[in-house]
Amino acid sequence: MKAFEVVVARNSRHAVALLAERVPTAKVKVIAGGTDLMADLKFAPSSHAPDVVVDISRADDLRHISMTDAGLSIGALVTHTEIMRSPVIRDLFPALLDAAHTIGAVQTRNLGTLGGNLVTAVPSVDSGPTLVALDARVTLLSPAGQRAMPLADFFVGPRKTALKPDELLVDILIPRENLGKPACFLKFGLRKGQALALVNVAASFWVDWDRNVFVAPRIALGAVAPKVIHASSAQAYLEGRAIEPAAMAEAGRLAVGDAKPINDFRASAEYRRDLIAVLSRRALEGAYALAQSKRSGKVAGGLQASRRGER
Amino acid sequence: MAKVTLTVNGEARTASVSPETTLLRLLREEFGLTGSKLGCDVGDCGACTVMVDGKSVNSCLMLAVQADGRDVVTIEGLATMERLHPLQQLFEDKGSLQCGFCGPGIIISAKALLDENPDPTEEEIRDALAGNLCRCTGYSKMIEAVRAVARAGRDERTAGSVA
């Protein structure tokens, strides 16, 4: 690994001040949990290696999971383990907890952060689909101020985001209108532990119980396009449609057409297409089951809770 | 050079390292604590697992400067001269290791689990060890050993509550 300088940020404002100071004259990288960055740096050609690394792991103002007027705010430094243990997230969005649980292993979940996972922006990013399905927005901070955008637009392509070199991802917001919106995340990997997704899917919708129809349906797909995408035609098909198994199956088939999976050493495009149809349908079924259990007043806890319950 | 002060196995330690030094290299090369192993060096194999502020982490992925001021426990911190840690003893009794390279990381992962959850299910043990690869023995006897330690702890607690 090429030598570099490390500067430690005390908080998010200090971090962007350090970025503003160093970015004009040096190659700068930001380190949080380091689970992606450190692995990359060890293999990076020295031409890509940073001169300066800004360590934000002590910027404690980015560690919150808090309810605000705008919605549920999750700080960029919140680790995957912290998401798994958050009572608020367990209550409102068990799908986020399930997604966090599929990332890496205990050690990497203890270090790795939600912000880091999103900024790395690999197409299979496991934090991505659920948040995209919940219309999450990200806040980017720079010395000039802050700007917000939908997470779906923050992702630009494989390992590419809208983040400018002097900006820091500080916050992930699930908007107020989606608090408690039933969602389900499913990932298909080749193993249970430490596997990248061949396909990951999240589905979310409200139920109009009087008419039993889908309201504001979302299906987000990962690992089957250059970035996490909405399955737009499947979403349009479901809007206002009666909730029944045939509609969910048809939405799964439509989602296949919304994706552009590739052949690689993990799976063929053909196999991924089959997975999209099946996982999309199952994610819709999962979200509906959650909606029903919430309605009947049962405590919703996602897969994690049901596993615990088996003890 | 960066000055790093941290607690390692209960002892205050200080070192001066170049900024890109990982916690693993600090432990092994500056402090001579070679129990934690350098395996894949990218966070896949878990041979470098140590506890930082009570949580298991891959020390190959953490910069030494990120561990400044933190409390680190390595495999060297578990046994005393007189007595192995119960996990070490049960791993020995059950023949859970063969070459042993993965052992320090696995035992630290198991300790981190039991510290938080003294009575885990098999599923929880498997989940806790999923970040530690073993290439010779397999995992069954390790899981048995962790279960046995948990069982012994449970018996002890039960006996305590009776007494």
Side-chain angles (χ1 to χ4, degrees):
Chain A
M1 200 162 40
K2 204 189 103 181
F4 50 74
E5 185 188 345
V6 176
V7 286
V8 179
R10 291 183 299 274
N11 53 45
S12 57
R13 296 227 153 265
H14 186 214
V16 293
L18 290 168
L19 289 176
E21 184 189 326
R22 308 306 294 269
V23 162
T25 54
K27 276 204 199 75
V28 183
K29 288 276 185 190
V30 172
I31 189 167
T35 53
D36 283 318
L37 185 74
M38 289 296 285
D40 284 350
L41 291 184
K42 291 177 187 185
F43 290 108
S46 56
S47 57
H48 283 64
D51 310 305
V52 178
V53 170
V54 175
D55 175 20
I56 61 166
S57 64
R58 291 168 202 270
D60 288 337
D61 61 322
L62 302 180
R63 289 193 183 282
H64 60 274
I65 298 175
S66 53
M67 199 57 76
T68 69
D69 288 344
L72 181 69
S73 160
I74 307 175
L77 271 191
V78 170
T79 65
H80 307 301
T81 298
E82 286 163 349
I83 287 176
M84 287 171 61
R85 292 181 183 176
S86 160
V88 178
I89 291 178
R90 174 178 294 270
D91 181 40
L92 292 176
F93 304 113
L96 280 180
L97 188 149
D98 292 336
H101 196 179
T102 71
I103 295 171
V106 176
Q107 296 96 314
T108 33
R109 293 196 291 268
N110 282 342
L111 283 173
T113 64
L114 179 59
N117 199 231
L118 298 176
V119 166
T120 302
V122 293
S124 62
V125 52
D126 288 317
S127 303
T130 312
L131 289 169
V132 166
L134 291 167
D135 307 321
R137 298 174 65 79
V138 292
T139 302
L140 314 181
L141 185 70
S142 77
Q146 59 178 48
R147 61 182 179 128
M149 66 176 69
L151 176 61
D153 298 338
F154 176 74
F155 292 132
V156 173
R159 292 180 171 270
K160 286 204 172 61
T161 69
L163 199 68
K164 292 179 186 149
D166 67 344
E167 281 181 323
L168 190 69
L169 170 62
V170 290
D171 189 72
I172 296 94
L173 180 83
I174 300 171
R176 172 158 287 276
E177 67 268 22
N178 284 347
L179 292 182
K181 187 172 180 181
C184 175
F185 172 83
L186 295 173
K187 164 175 171 175
F188 192 91
L190 295 178
R191 302 176 304 278
K192 224 170 143 187
Q194 300 213 94
L196 295 184
L198 299 186
V199 177
N200 52 22
V201 175
S204 181
F205 55 89
W206 294 109
V207 178
D208 177 338
W209 293 105
D210 294 335
R211 298 160 56 224
N212 197 46
V213 299
F214 292 96
V215 176
R218 299 282 186 275
I219 297 175
L221 306 171
V224 293
K227 59 176 215 164
V228 179
I229 55 162
H230 281 287
S232 306
S233 58
Q235 292 177 178
Y237 168 81
L238 289 175
E239 183 71 63
R241 193 168 290 270
I243 299 174
E244 53 184 21
M248 295 187 190
E250 178 59 16
R253 282 189 289 273
L254 287 169
V256 176
D258 291 323
K260 291 188 177 59
I262 57 166
N263 288 302
D264 70 6
F265 63 96
R266 282 190 197 93
S268 66
E270 191 56 39
Y271 188 53
R272 286 191 163 99
R273 276 191 284 271
D274 284 348
L275 285 173
I276 294 166
V278 173
L279 293 179
S280 298
R281 172 176 57 77
R282 287 185 190 165
L284 288 165
E285 290 165 359
Y288 189 50
L290 180 59
Q292 287 173 310
S293 73
K294 282 188 178 207
R295 190 182 188 219
S296 62
K298 281 182 213 152
V299 180
L303 298 176
Q304 175 80 4
S306 61
R307 269 188 220 119
R308 289 256 161 79
E310 281 163 20
R311 182 185 292 194
Chain B
M1 299 293 270
K3 192 180 165 209
V4 182
T5 303
L6 67 170
T7 306
V8 182
N9 300 329
E11 218 177 294
R13 307 292 293 260
T14 298
S16 194
V17 296
S18 58
E20 73 278 8
T21 305
T22 60
L23 173 59
L24 178 62
R25 288 196 180 275
L26 171 70
L27 293 170
R28 290 180 56 87
E29 292 168 17
E30 296 294 323
F31 298 154
L33 297 170
T34 53
S36 310
K37 303 304 182 205
L38 176 67
C40 70
D41 209 14
V42 290
D44 287 332
C45 77
C48 67
T49 304
V50 302
M51 285 168 68
V52 175
D53 290 347
K55 290 201 168 65
S56 62
V57 304
N58 303 103
S59 62
C60 75
L61 295 179
M62 194 177 210
L63 290 169
V65 293
Q66 291 183 302
D68 186 52
R70 311 244 186 244
D71 183 43
V72 176
V73 174
T74 71
I75 191 70
E76 288 90 345
L78 266 54
T80 61
M81 290 303 282
E82 294 75 35
R83 191 166 169 269
L84 289 176
H85 184 278
L87 277 164
Q88 293 170 311
Q89 188 61 58
L90 264 298
F91 267 61
E92 183 182 309
D93 294 349
K94 301 266 179 195
S96 301
L97 299 171
Q98 193 168 316
C99 88
F101 191 85
C102 68
I106 302 243
I107 288 171
I108 291 288
S109 284
K111 175 173 163 49
L113 169 71
L114 294 177
D115 284 356
E116 281 196 348
N117 178 2
D119 195 10
T121 61
E122 177 163 340
E123 177 76 19
E124 286 168 334
I125 296 170
R126 288 177 178 274
D127 190 53
L129 301 187
N132 294 85
L133 304 184
C134 167
R135 301 288 83 166
C136 32
T137 310
Y139 304 97
S140 299
K141 290 180 176 179
M142 300 178 186
I143 291 160
E144 267 177 43
V146 179
R147 287 178 74 117
V149 173
R151 201 157 42 234
R154 193 163 59 218
D155 294 346
E156 222 165 87
R157 281 191 301 280
T158 312
S161 67
V162 169

